[in-house]
């Protein structure tokens, strides 16, 4: 029996961090055993907000591929590939663009938020504005059942499904609706206590961080500004160290006890932070080691991506030919 297909991706705009890990990468490592999994490095989408700095995108294609391999995506189980080398995706994007209004694009919450973050309100590049449609093409060309993503991407899935409906209504049934697969780990706050870990906010712990980096970041972590002396009673709510321990420390009973002690007074931040450093380093150390191995041979990493791209393209070509027939622009057949 054929495995159901899963498709997802990341923009190569920086190295991947713990937020990516709990939000999506962790799921992918599990999914590759039960699904026929495709993971795309979305360089076209990356360029849509970085046209003046293509080198950044180019460099991060390798970094992201290394992160994939480091977390345990296995090229035998997961087809990893580069978006721009599947030209059927931009072609499908063009057909989809006719099914979406400018007004609808302006309502996409993911795009709205990112436009604010990037200061694009007055001068948004057209390629950036339409990237939800490009993303719908990314997804649908592979006809996946599930799309494992962080919760911020749900509006993208919703818009993708609107396109499915409209396309099928106009041209006949080619696509099926897709579901987002959201991780059950709550969103990871940044080390500064801001709601979201993000590279642009400078509050991230990277999957490639050294133990020293992790120590520095954890020691800087936001706790409870009123918890000055160890003997002071402290707050758990909003305390980033506890938020992380809840997610990453598997000794749940001990964490519950620590919370108790902290709330009463008598537990210092440094002791807690040391525990968190150990917990995080236990997770990241094996990734760091695997990464170091693959870093020795970037050519082999690119060869893996080239092979994956070949495989991905076969599927994309098949879907696109169905699309051209459905629209009736398969002139020479
Ligand atoms: N927009 C996604 C992100 O920023 C990356 C992405 C591009 C993606 N194409 C995709 C995710 C297709 C899922 C499916 O994280």
């Amino acid at each position: 029996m054929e495995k159901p297909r899963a498709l997802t991706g990341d923009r190569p705009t920086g190295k991947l961090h713990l937020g990516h890990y709990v939000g999506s990468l962790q799921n992918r490592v599990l999914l590759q055993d039960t699904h026929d999994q495709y993971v795309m490095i979305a360089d076209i989408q990356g360029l849509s907000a970085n046209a003046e700095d293509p080198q950044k995108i180019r460099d991060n294609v390798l970094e992201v591929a290394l992160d994939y391999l480091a977390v345990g995506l296995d090229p035998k189980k997961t087809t990893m590939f580069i978006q721009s080398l599947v030209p059927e995706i931009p072609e499908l994007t063009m057909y989809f663009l006719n099914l979406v209004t400018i007004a609808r694009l302006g309502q996409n919450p993911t795009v709205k938020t990112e436009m604010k973050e990037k200061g694009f309100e007055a001068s948004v590049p057209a390629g950036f504005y339409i990237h939800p449609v490009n993303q719908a093409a990314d997804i649908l060309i592979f006809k996946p059942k599930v799309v494992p993503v962080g919760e911020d991407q749900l509006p993208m899935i919703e818009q993708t499904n609107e396109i499915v409906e409209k396309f099928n209504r106009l041209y006949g049934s080619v696509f099926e609706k897709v579901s987002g697969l959201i991780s059950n780990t709550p969103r990871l706050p940044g080390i500064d206590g801001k709601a979201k870990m993000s590279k642009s906010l400078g509050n991230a712990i990277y999957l490639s961080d050294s133990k020293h980096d992790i120590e520095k970041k954890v020691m800087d972590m936001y706790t409870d500004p009123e918890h000055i002396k160890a003997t002071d009673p402290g707050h758990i709510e909003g305390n980033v160290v506890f938020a992380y321990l809840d997610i990453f420390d598997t000794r749940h009973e001990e964490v519950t006890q620590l919370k108790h002690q902290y709330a009463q007074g008598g537990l210092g931040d440094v002791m807690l932070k040391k525990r968190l450093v150990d917990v995080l380093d236990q997770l990241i150390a094996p990734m760091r080691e695997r990464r170091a191995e693959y870093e020795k041979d970037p050519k082999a990493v690119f060869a893996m991506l080239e092979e994956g791209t070949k495989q991905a393209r076969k599927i994309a070509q098949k879907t696109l030919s169905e699309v051209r027939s459905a629209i009736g622009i398969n002139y020479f057949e």
Side-chain angles (χ1 to χ4, degrees):
M1 225 185 70
E2 263 184 44
K3 290 179 181 167
R5 194 171 288 155
L7 175 285
T8 187
D10 301 277
R11 277 177 263 197
T13 49
K15 294 181 178 186
L16 302 180
H17 53 61
L18 279 176
H20 294 114
Y21 183 74
V22 297
S24 175
L25 294 168
Q26 202 176 15
N27 267 337
R28 298 181 200 174
V29 175
L30 298 173
L31 273 177
Q32 67 181 349
D33 288 323
T34 52
H35 286 65
D36 180 24
Q37 180 164 253
Y38 287 76
V39 176
M40 133 179 356
I41 304 185
D43 58 341
I44 297 181
Q45 194 177 115
L47 281 167
S48 74
N50 294 279
E52 70 298 334
D53 193 4
Q55 187 66 37
K56 169 171 150 189
I57 301 301
R58 195 197 154 88
D59 292 344
N60 281 306
V61 166
L62 178 62
E63 296 298 340
V64 168
L66 287 167
D67 284 328
Y68 287 165
L69 295 165
V71 298
L73 291 185
D74 173 352
K76 289 197 202 76
K77 301 178 182 170
T78 296
T79 305
M80 293 167 253
F81 67 98
I82 299 178
Q83 183 189 28
S84 67
L85 291 174
V86 183
E88 291 75 15
I89 294 173
E91 184 176 341
L92 185 58
T93 304
M94 288 308 290
Y95 306 135
F96 282 173
L97 277 170
N98 300 330
L99 311 180
V100 178
T101 63
I102 301 271
R104 173 64 181 91
L105 281 170
Q107 289 157 4
N108 184 308
T110 313
V111 176
K112 274 210 246 176
T113 312
E114 285 185 19
M115 274 172 43
K116 262 207 203 101
E117 278 171 15
K118 296 181 165 50
F120 270 168
E121 286 97 330
S123 57
V124 58
F128 182 83
Y129 205 64
I130 64 150
H131 86 252
V133 183
N134 180 230
Q135 187 158 333
D138 290 344
I139 295 172
L140 292 175
I141 209 160
F142 292 99
K143 298 192 168 181
K145 273 261 170 301
V146 292
V147 184
V149 284
E151 62 173 354
D152 63 311
Q153 296 290 309
L154 283 182
M156 299 295 203
I157 306 284
E158 197 182 313
Q159 191 150 23
T160 299
N161 285 332
E162 285 173 25
I163 292 174
V164 170
E165 235 164 58
K166 184 131 194 215
F167 187 99
N168 288 352
R169 181 153 46 79
L170 291 175
Y171 305 125
S173 206
V174 172
F175 297 110
E176 274 174 45
K177 290 199 179 169
V178 296
S179 333
L181 181 70
I182 304 301
S183 106
N184 39 29
T185 308
R187 178 187 281 205
L188 191 66
I191 57 170
D192 55 0
K194 292 219 176 90
K196 194 179 168 186
M197 176 173 285
S198 111
K199 172 184 38 78
S200 43
L201 295 174
N203 62 8
I205 295 177
Y206 292 94
L207 303 178
S208 49
D209 273 352
S210 67
K211 178 149 193 203
H212 180 71
D213 295 330
I214 297 174
E215 268 161 4
K216 245 179 64 194
K217 290 176 183 178
V218 171
M219 289 305 156
D220 273 353
M221 235 176 215
Y222 183 87
T223 56
D224 171 3
E226 279 154 42
H227 184 248
I228 311 211
K229 287 180 287 180
T231 48
D232 294 339
H235 287 98
I236 311 294
E237 189 79 14
N239 188 316
V240 184
V241 177
F242 278 113
Y244 278 54
L245 287 173
D246 277 339
I247 295 174
F248 296 105
D249 193 329
T250 50
R251 294 159 297 177
H252 303 294
E253 273 164 33
E254 281 180 43
V255 173
T256 307
Q257 277 199 331
L258 288 170
K259 282 183 186 170
H260 211 71
Q261 215 183 333
Y262 193 84
Q264 281 186 332
L267 183 60
D269 280 358
V270 172
M271 191 236 124
L272 267 184
K273 285 179 167 178
K274 282 195 173 140
R275 180 181 178 108
L276 181 58
V277 169
D278 287 340
V279 166
L280 293 181
D281 196 56
Q282 261 177 41
L283 175 71
I284 290 179
M287 300 181 192
R288 199 187 293 130
E289 279 159 33
R290 241 175 284 156
R291 195 179 216 279
E293 274 309 302
Y294 287 110
E295 260 171 356
K296 288 184 196 153
D297 193 357
K299 275 214 178 101
V301 177
F302 278 115
M304 179 280 287
L305 289 174
E306 193 175 0
E307 182 51 37
T309 304
K310 235 186 249 165
Q311 295 307 323
R313 207 168 165 201
K314 277 189 206 152
I315 298 176
Q317 279 166 337
K318 180 159 179 284
T319 304
L320 195 65
S321 114
E322 289 170 35
V323 164
R324 298 190 63 107
S325 306
I327 304 178
I329 51 173
N330 53 334
Y331 305 107
F332 304 139
E333 276 167 28

